[in-house]
Amino acid sequence: IAISKTADMNFGNVAVSSSNSGTVVLAPAGTRTTTGEATLPASSGTVSAASFNITGESGYTYSIGLPSGSITLETGDQANSMLINSFTSDPDGTGTLTAGSETVNVGATLNLSAAQAAGVYTSSSDITVTVNYN
C-alpha cells in the first residue's frame, strides 16, 4: 500500500473579531464553517482540503491514521502563530481500494485568537497521514 499527496490543505481567507476568538472548520469535502467570532470574507481565496492518492491491492481494506495533536502555523517572520487540530478524513477511519486506488481527503479545525494578525500562515512540518492494510 502506498500514499502520495495530491493537494495541500488551505483554509483560504478568514477573519476574527478583535475581542473574541473563533474557529474555521474545513471539512474533507472542502467546505468551511465557523464558530465563535470567526468570519469568512466574501473573497474566499484558495480553499482546499488536503488530498492523498492511496494505491495498492484492489478490494483490500485499509485504515487511515491522522495526526492526533496540533500543528502550528506561522507567518513567514514567525512573529504570529495559530494551531490546526481535530483532523477528519473522507473516507472516515477505513477505506477500500477500488481498482487498486482511492482518494482520501483530510480536513481540520483552524483556531483563531482574538485580533489574530493578518498574514499568510504556513507550517514548517508536514501533516502526517498514514495508511495500513487491515
Side-chain angles (χ1 to χ4, degrees):
I1 191 164
I3 184 171
S4 61
K5 180 186 72 168
T6 56
D8 287 326
M9 183 179 293
N10 196 324
F11 285 87
N13 296 331
V14 300
V16 68
S17 81
S18 60
S19 57
N20 293 300
S21 62
T23 67
V24 176
V25 178
L26 177 63
T31 57
R32 302 179 299 169
T33 57
T34 62
T35 66
E37 295 294 319
T39 59
L40 303 174
S43 174
S44 64
T46 302
V47 178
S48 64
S51 187
F52 300 87
N53 186 46
I54 313 304
T55 55
E57 293 295 322
S58 185
Y60 280 45
T61 62
Y62 61 91
S63 60
I64 302 165
L66 301 172
S68 58
S70 296
I71 294 176
T72 302
L73 304 178
E74 296 177 316
T75 53
D77 60 4
Q78 299 178 335
N80 300 291
S81 65
M82 59 181 134
L83 299 176
I84 59 172
N85 55 24
S86 302
F87 294 87
T88 58
S89 68
D90 180 25
D92 181 24
T94 61
T96 302
L97 294 165
T98 304
S101 179
E102 186 169 52
T103 298
V104 173
N105 295 316
V106 176
T109 299
L110 175 68
N111 299 276
L112 300 154
S113 298
Q116 185 78 49
V120 175
Y121 289 75
T122 59
S123 173
S124 60
S125 60
D126 291 332
I127 296 172
T128 302
V129 176
T130 59
V131 290
N132 291 296
Y133 285 125
N134 288 333

